[in-house]
Amino acid sequence: MDIDIFDGFFRGKRVLVTGHTGFKGSWLSIWLHELGAEVVGVGLDPATERDNFVLSGIGGKIKADIRADIRDGQKMKEIFAEHRPEIVFHLAAQPLVRLSYEIPVDTYATNVMGTINVMEAIRATDSVKVGVMITTDKCYENKEQIWGYRENEPMGGYDPYSSSKGATEIAIASWRRSFFNPDRYAEHGKSIASVRAGNVIGGGDWALDRIIPDCIRALEAGRPIDIRSPKAIRPWQHVLEPLSGYMLLAKRMWESPTKYCEGWNFGPRAESISTVWEVASHVVDNYGSGSLRDLSDPNALHEAKLLMLDISKAKFRLGWEPRMNIDQTVALTVDWYRRYTAEPVYELCTSQIREYIKK
């Protein structure tokens, strides 16, 4: 089955992906490469030798695999000037809540100033027509409310990570009004949007303090899975869900640049909003072995207990909606981890993209 659900849009397009060595960035680079895009990746070294980026070998397949830090604004401008991208997906970030308590300044420098550096590189490069800036659902001022956040609700954040993403959203909105204003599109020729996804899971993620990697490490070692926040409720989604939304949005922005340059939520179906304990239980069921252990600590660092997104806007204005429920999401994720040691990982990823499209 063909994996191009974008009508050939990306074929031959020059696409720059920041954070391509990361979990989401590696999957996006694989999909874009399969669609015929000329992908330029800009990122730091992958975190582990088992990361999807390393095992898939995508760095050797794309047009350019560049090591650079988005905190270096001059370097970003030089890379953009050399490769002249037409579309930019900005994913590079410090993405971990608990780590942000340890390195709050670095978290802000990467997430806020790094994003500003990428936007300044876009501003300095006339070839760029579309910029999709990836933030997070945690950018909203979280009131632990029982309904989903809409795109026009206030930005905020309790911990350094979440607040850095709220600040990043404010910066993106400012640059859009100041330098990429849709009312002056004829002058600058650029369309800039921000996108917010929920808790993304999928194969090839080995980051610390994330439930799926924690589960797999414990299962592979024959240990119980330690659950830190068993009652925390999250909008779980497979990595391919938001990526399909990001790419569809980029296509729409290219075709109608002043109509879609704003903030967008890409979350799961309501029934996929589950507790950490429930998701870990699904992992054990799909893996075929394992047990859970509740290690919740009333004195632990603050993390949001309840967070949901309203995806009505993406559904009705973009025609995007999730393809998978929580059972399918966890099953596809665990399938990757059960197969990655015995199969070529690039082919495993492309086969899962095809499977996702059939949903």
Side-chain angles (χ1 to χ4, degrees):
M1 180 180 178
D2 186 13
I3 65 171
D4 191 351
I5 54 176
F6 307 101
D7 301 323
F9 170 75
F10 287 101
R11 182 161 299 281
K13 293 281 195 311
R14 299 189 303 277
V15 182
L16 187 145
V17 178
T18 72
H20 73 301
T21 56
F23 166 49
K24 287 171 72 176
S26 65
W27 277 96
L28 177 60
S29 298
I30 290 168
W31 200 343
L32 287 168
H33 178 70
E34 286 292 304
L35 296 177
E38 296 180 7
V39 180
V40 172
V42 180
L44 301 178
D45 288 331
T48 80
E49 289 302 307
R50 291 199 294 175
D51 280 17
N52 189 51
F53 174 82
V54 177
L55 296 182
S56 69
I58 183 59
K61 298 178 183 293
I62 58 178
K63 184 179 180 183
D65 173 23
I66 301 168
R67 296 293 172 273
D69 194 321
I70 58 171
R71 291 174 294 184
D72 186 341
Q74 183 56 40
K75 182 65 173 179
M76 289 302 107
K77 288 181 179 177
E78 291 170 1
I79 291 169
F80 275 61
E82 177 181 355
H83 293 280
R84 299 190 53 74
E86 298 168 290
I87 299 170
V88 175
F89 291 100
H90 170 51
L91 291 86
Q94 192 299 91
L96 302 175
V97 172
R98 277 159 57 94
L99 182 60
S100 76
Y101 282 104
E102 299 174 23
I103 54 168
V105 176
D106 286 347
T107 298
Y108 260 72
T110 299
N111 294 349
V112 182
M113 288 309 303
T115 299
I116 288 173
N117 288 337
V118 171
M119 289 191 293
E120 284 293 273
I122 289 173
R123 191 155 73 101
T125 310
D126 59 8
S127 62
V128 180
K129 305 302 180 191
V130 169
V132 179
M133 321 302 284
I134 287 79
T135 64
T136 175
D137 59 349
K138 297 175 183 65
C139 66
Y140 292 107
E141 181 60 46
N142 191 2
K143 303 178 180 67
E144 308 269 345
Q145 64 190 29
I146 60 171
W147 50 87
Y149 292 94
R150 294 175 178 172
E151 287 86 346
N152 58 357
E153 296 199 55
M155 297 294 125
Y158 181 110
D159 57 86
Y161 167 74
S162 301
S163 62
S164 76
K165 289 296 194 171
T168 298
E169 283 280 359
I170 292 170
I172 294 167
S174 170
W175 257 248
R176 182 166 47 232
R177 285 190 291 258
S178 301
F179 308 114
F180 309 122
N181 196 308
D183 292 339
R184 299 196 300 275
Y185 178 77
E187 300 171 26
H188 56 75
K190 302 180 191 302
S191 182
I192 306 295
S194 62
V195 296
R196 306 135 192 182
N199 275 41
V200 176
I201 63 176
D205 183 11
W206 297 101
L208 298 174
D209 290 332
R210 285 191 186 148
I211 185 59
I212 298 299
D214 286 351
C215 287
I216 300 301
R217 278 189 288 264
L219 291 168
E220 289 185 344
R223 300 192 313 266
I225 299 168
D226 294 333
I227 306 296
R228 195 177 64 244
S229 302
K231 297 179 181 178
I233 298 172
R234 296 285 187 270
W236 308 96
Q237 59 193 143
H238 192 275
V239 61
L240 297 176
E241 298 273 36
L243 295 185
S244 70
Y246 302 167
M247 291 191 282
L248 177 61
L249 175 61
K251 180 176 184 287
R252 294 276 193 269
M253 292 165 69
W254 184 281
E255 295 164 347
S256 302
T258 63
K259 188 176 178 181
Y260 298 100
C261 52
E262 50 198 58
W264 298 87
N265 289 340
F266 294 101
R269 300 174 185 174
E271 62 267 25
S272 292
I273 298 168
S274 307
T275 67
V276 172
W277 189 270
E278 289 167 342
V279 167
S281 298
H282 279 302
V283 171
V284 168
D285 291 343
N286 279 275
Y287 202 80
S289 63
S291 61
L292 309 184
R293 182 166 58 183
D294 185 347
L295 286 189
S296 50
D297 176 4
N299 299 313
L301 295 169
H302 176 275
E303 291 189 66
K305 296 294 184 289
L306 176 62
L307 182 59
M308 296 181 285
L309 293 174
D310 185 316
I311 59 171
S312 302
K313 180 177 165 184
K315 183 175 181 178
F316 292 111
R317 287 188 53 198
L318 287 178
W320 176 91
E321 60 183 324
R323 292 170 178 257
M324 299 196 296
N325 59 32
I326 188 65
D327 293 336
Q328 294 168 313
T329 295
V330 176
L332 193 61
T333 298
V334 174
D335 180 62
W336 190 100
Y337 288 103
R338 288 178 61 85
R339 295 166 59 189
Y340 80 97
T341 58
E343 298 180 31
V345 170
Y346 188 88
E347 285 73 19
L348 172 55
C349 291
T350 55
S351 71
Q352 289 205 331
I353 293 171
R354 290 186 179 89
E355 186 177 342
Y356 165 73
I357 289 169
K358 289 191 291 185
K359 299 293 184 184

